[in-house]
Amino acid sequence: MNQEKVGKFITELRKEKKWTQEDLAQKLLVDRTMVSKWERGLYIPNIEYLLQLQKLFNVSINEILYGERKDLNNNNQIDALPINIMEEDRKKLKRILIVSGLMIILLLVSFFIYYFINNYNSIKVYRIYGDDKNFYINDGIMILSKEKSYIKIGNIGKYSDTKIIKTRLYFKQGDIEHNIFIGGENDTEILLINKFNYNELFSYGDIKNILKGLFLEITTDEDNKYVLNLTVYKDFANDSIINNNNIPISDGENSKAQSSIPEYIKENFVYDSDNEEYYKKTTDTKYNITETYFLNSNIYLLVMSNNELEKRFEYSLNDEIVNYYLFKGKNMIDNFSYNLKTKDCEYGSCDIQSIYSFKDDYLSKVYN
């Protein structure tokens, strides 16, 4: 239907009657501007006004909507006009439905992208441990989200009967120490809840410094101070799009071992039921070596240390990534991440020779 053609036809019919737009408007009881909009092809009269125009000009509604009087040349087209209008309306409706559907899909996709960006890898769980010749920590945990953090250092183990008077948990930013909490011996078992941007113990921006260096200062009754350089390593993150863990949940160490623990570890490592981990300690000509397999996270950790250096290789069977850390004293002097599956260096300057020595000497025995 051609609105401009319809408008010109209404104009012709009005002029045949020698009516002005005002005259026609008065007969239809509408404003003159409405008639003007019809004749300019801006609007089509509704059915009420079409019926009145049909009587005033002695033409059919089909002729008005076609924009011509019926004759031998256009007879078939005018008769078929209602069907054509219905077909045209059907196509318009179809286009509207398609466009609406695409808009709904776009909105849903946009929502899921927004949700994914804001929630993917937004929750991380870290295990915390550390030791020296006097004290040790092996059951600490830190949970991070974008809104809050939770830290619990846990019980302080002692290699002697030394009495602990005060503890201080802190991190460093350059040479500046930032306290997270100060308390007594048992205060390390308190769950510290930190809400970012509200009376916070540390800010979200401080997390990178905490992961690089978290320290626990212990003051004894003899006024001696000992500092544990705590290791913070990632145990879990919600960074898996599809959960491939099809191992059924069950209670007890034996059922877990049967379904997921490498045979080499079961046969050669000692099981610590309190911490749900396996460990093995050995020495060679250069290093004291501790191998630990964390049952819940399926992570194998190798720590090689001497009086000068400490090397740590953390391997996750779930994503086949090796995280390497090198410490000199309390300072981390190097670290990188290497993907054994894709053979890509994902972070830092990867020492390929060290990675494959670790793989050949240790991983090959654990995951044969």
Side-chain angles (χ1 to χ4, degrees):
M1 183 167 46
N2 190 324
Q3 291 187 196
E4 186 176 348
K5 186 178 179 181
V6 172
K8 288 180 179 181
F9 186 51
I10 293 174
T11 303
E12 291 175 9
L13 294 173
R14 175 178 60 78
K15 288 181 178 180
E16 287 177 2
K17 295 285 189 177
K18 295 183 173 49
W19 293 343
T20 64
Q21 288 184 346
E22 186 66 37
D23 294 334
L24 180 57
Q26 289 179 0
K27 295 179 183 297
L28 296 173
L29 299 177
V30 297
D31 189 85
R32 185 197 64 80
T33 57
M34 180 64 73
V35 175
S36 174
K37 290 178 180 178
W38 293 342
E39 294 186 355
R40 284 184 291 154
L42 300 179
Y43 293 102
I44 295 291
N46 63 29
I47 188 62
E48 176 186 349
Y49 295 120
L50 285 173
L51 290 170
Q52 294 185 58
L53 291 171
Q54 174 184 240
K55 293 179 181 179
L56 288 172
F57 297 129
N58 194 28
V59 292
S60 68
I61 292 177
N62 283 7
E63 288 174 304
I64 296 173
L65 295 177
Y66 188 76
E68 294 179 13
R69 282 190 171 90
K70 182 186 285 190
D71 57 29
L72 293 176
N73 294 324
N74 60 22
N75 181 67
N76 292 334
Q77 291 91 331
I78 290 177
D79 288 342
L81 185 63
I83 296 175
N84 293 336
I85 291 175
M86 290 176 62
E87 180 63 21
E88 186 176 335
D89 289 343
R90 187 189 69 81
K91 290 180 180 179
K92 285 183 179 178
L93 178 61
K94 184 177 179 180
R95 286 196 294 269
I96 291 172
L97 291 175
I98 291 173
V99 172
S100 299
L102 290 174
M103 289 183 66
I104 291 171
I105 292 172
L106 180 61
L107 287 172
L108 288 173
V109 170
S110 300
F111 170 78
F112 283 114
I113 290 175
Y114 172 81
Y115 182 84
F116 178 80
I117 291 174
N118 281 273
N119 290 278
Y120 177 78
N121 203 28
S122 61
I123 299 175
K124 301 180 181 70
V125 179
Y126 295 87
R127 296 282 293 273
I128 301 172
Y129 69 90
D131 62 63
D132 64 9
K133 62 182 180 180
N134 297 289
F135 306 99
Y136 63 89
I137 294 287
N138 59 15
D139 56 355
I141 189 169
M142 177 167 62
I143 302 173
L144 295 177
S145 71
K146 293 181 179 180
E147 292 81 25
K148 288 184 177 182
S149 69
Y150 304 84
I151 299 178
K152 185 177 181 181
I153 297 301
N155 181 56
I156 300 176
K158 295 183 286 187
Y159 294 115
S160 65
D161 294 331
T162 304
K163 185 177 180 180
I164 297 173
I165 301 299
K166 186 174 75 172
T167 55
R168 179 170 71 101
L169 182 68
Y170 66 94
F171 65 93
K172 289 184 178 181
Q173 187 173 11
D175 295 329
I176 301 174
E177 297 179 356
H178 297 271
N179 293 334
I180 296 177
F181 86 90
I182 298 175
E185 177 178 0
N186 296 327
D187 290 337
T188 56
E189 298 192 52
I190 296 174
L191 179 64
L192 302 173
I193 302 175
N194 181 41
K195 187 174 182 180
F196 297 122
N197 300 318
Y198 179 76
N199 196 25
E200 56 190 13
L201 299 171
F202 56 87
S203 69
Y204 192 82
D206 291 327
I207 292 173
K208 59 182 179 181
N209 293 312
I210 292 174
L211 296 180
K212 289 179 181 178
L214 184 64
F215 303 90
L216 181 67
E217 181 185 81
I218 300 172
T219 304
T220 66
D221 56 350
E222 298 173 350
D223 205 27
N224 293 323
K225 292 184 179 181
Y226 303 88
V227 176
L228 293 184
N229 184 358
L230 302 177
T231 298
V232 182
Y233 69 94
K234 187 167 66 174
D235 187 63
F236 168 81
N238 62 330
D239 55 0
S240 297
I241 298 176
I242 299 175
N243 183 10
N244 292 319
N245 184 11
N246 295 319
I247 300 173
I249 298 174
S250 58
D251 295 327
E253 182 268 329
N254 289 332
S255 60
K256 292 179 180 178
Q258 292 173 2
S259 60
S260 61
I261 300 173
E263 289 297 323
Y264 176 82
I265 288 177
K266 288 192 288 184
E267 294 174 359
N268 297 278
F269 284 44
V270 177
Y271 180 63
D272 181 349
S273 59
D274 292 334
N275 298 304
E276 294 190 340
E277 61 189 34
Y278 287 82
Y279 66 91
K280 177 184 177 184
K281 295 185 177 182
T282 55
T283 59
D284 62 15
T285 55
K286 292 183 177 180
Y287 298 104
N288 295 317
I289 301 170
T290 301
E291 298 173 77
T292 308
Y293 174 76
F294 299 97
L295 190 61
N296 291 328
S297 58
N298 207 10
I299 287 176
Y300 168 78
L301 177 68
L302 171 69
V303 179
M304 307 172 67
S305 62
N306 56 29
N307 292 331
E308 296 181 359
L309 298 174
E310 181 175 286
K311 299 179 182 179
R312 299 177 186 173
F313 295 86
E314 176 191 308
Y315 174 71
S316 171
L317 181 62
N318 297 330
D319 53 23
E320 298 188 40
I321 290 177
V322 177
N323 293 312
Y324 171 82
Y325 306 90
L326 177 62
F327 292 86
K328 186 173 183 179
K330 298 177 182 179
N331 300 316
M332 184 170 65
I333 59 177
D334 190 21
N335 74 295
F336 57 78
S337 295
Y338 184 79
N339 193 316
L340 285 174
K341 185 176 182 180
T342 62
K343 295 181 173 57
D344 291 328
C345 185
E346 299 197 344
Y347 173 79
S349 300
C350 295
D351 183 348
I352 305 301
Q353 183 177 354
S354 295
I355 289 293
Y356 280 92
S357 295
F358 165 66
K359 180 182 177 183
D360 294 339
D361 296 341
Y362 293 94
L363 283 186
S364 60
K365 293 186 293 185
V366 176
Y367 302 103
N368 52 19

